Amino acid sequence: QLQASGGGLVQAGGSLRLSCAAAGRTGTAETMAWFRQPPGKEREFVAANRRSGGNTFYADSVKGRFTISRDNAKNTIFLQMNSLKPEDTATYYCAARYGRIINSAMGDVSMYHYWGQGTLVTVSS
């Protein structure tokens, strides 16, 4: 029900925009987020958005470089990634939860019920 796209190969300092289209009721989820999983590492939180209020949350590693946004009419979330670094290389996943998540738990993988298939982002140095 979540379809991520937009990944690819980019040089360090470049930009990419990821999209995640939510089908059906998933598009009305209160909380939608992006996670990433670097090669050989655990999945980690990147950014999240609340439908009500539009609050956004970011991992410290991407603050000031990445922007999460949401188009409720199109049931789509985006992740604009600027000033990319080689350490941003990972498979990026979008996730959704119908209910609200408290601020401190936004980055908890177990809070999310739905996951997209992932899109690979490779940043070359």
Side-chain angles (χ1 to χ4, degrees):
Q1 296 189 349
L2 296 174
Q3 183 72 33
S5 62
L9 174 64
V10 64
Q11 287 188 329
S15 298
L16 279 177
R17 190 190 196 207
L18 305 184
S19 300
C20 176
R25 184 172 170 244
T26 309
T28 62
E30 169 64 13
T31 309
M32 296 190 76
W34 289 97
F35 285 76
R36 67 186 181 186
Q37 188 163 12
K41 296 185 179 181
E42 299 280 324
R43 193 168 298 191
E44 62 186 29
F45 172 73
V46 175
N49 169 275
R50 280 202 185 112
R51 183 182 180 91
S52 57
N55 305 83
T56 57
F57 305 83
Y58 295 95
D60 289 342
S61 59
V62 306
K63 278 181 184 175
R65 300 188 298 122
F66 290 12
T67 302
I68 187 171
S69 60
R70 187 167 181 167
D71 185 334
N72 289 328
K74 296 182 179 179
N75 290 342
T76 301
I77 62 167
F78 304 96
L79 186 68
Q80 178 65 44
M81 305 186 294
N82 298 328
S83 303
L84 282 161
K85 305 175 182 180
E87 51 263 44
D88 294 317
T89 294
T91 298
Y92 283 71
Y93 298 90
C94 55
R97 177 186 170 102
Y98 288 125
R100 185 180 179 91
I101 302 174
I102 61 173
N103 292 8
S104 60
M106 276 293 183
D108 187 343
V109 170
S110 67
M111 291 288 105
Y112 295 86
H113 300 143
Y114 300 94
W115 291 86
Q117 85 288 3
T119 184
L120 178 63
V121 172
T122 303
V123 184
S124 63
S125 57

